[in-house]
Amino acid sequence: MAASTARAYLDLPADERFESRIPGVLERHAEMVARAMGESLSEYVMAVLAERVADDIVSTQEIHLIATEQVALLKLLTAPAVVTPQLAAASSSAKARLNYE
């Protein structure tokens, strides 16, 4: 679940700025790892941060939403599912494997 949640964070527009001071050796190593994975340092840090937040937010057991976020969540929860070819294929596969209609 965390991987898909992390992916959801990464699909959002990057509309905020974050600055941090880190040890030089950590930056160099992170840059080296990111480059080896074919990512920029920024992409790598975002992926790590998104994954960590996705994991840790569950353990806090509390998500506080402001009013506009609550409205957006309720709209998403009450909207009919968009049936994409991938969703249709996954549903058919699940029905076949679990033997139900």
Side-chain angles (χ1 to χ4, degrees), residues 23-98:
V25 69
L26 177 58
E27 180 184 20
R28 287 189 299 279
H29 287 173
E31 220 163 33
M32 185 174 55
V33 171
R35 196 171 30 251
M37 297 179 77
E39 299 176 341
S40 69
L41 178 58
S42 184
E43 290 168 327
Y44 178 76
V45 169
M46 285 292 298
V48 170
L49 180 61
E51 185 177 333
R52 180 74 185 264
V53 168
D55 287 341
D56 292 347
I57 203 164
V58 173
S59 66
T60 66
Q61 298 296 310
E62 292 183 26
I63 301 175
H64 299 280
L65 303 176
I66 62 173
T68 54
E69 293 170 331
Q70 292 173 17
V71 169
L73 177 60
L74 290 173
K75 283 181 182 176
L76 285 171
L77 293 174
T78 58
V82 176
V83 181
T84 63
Q86 294 89 349
L87 178 58
S91 294
S92 295
S93 174
K95 287 177 182 177
R97 279 189 271 139
L98 299 174

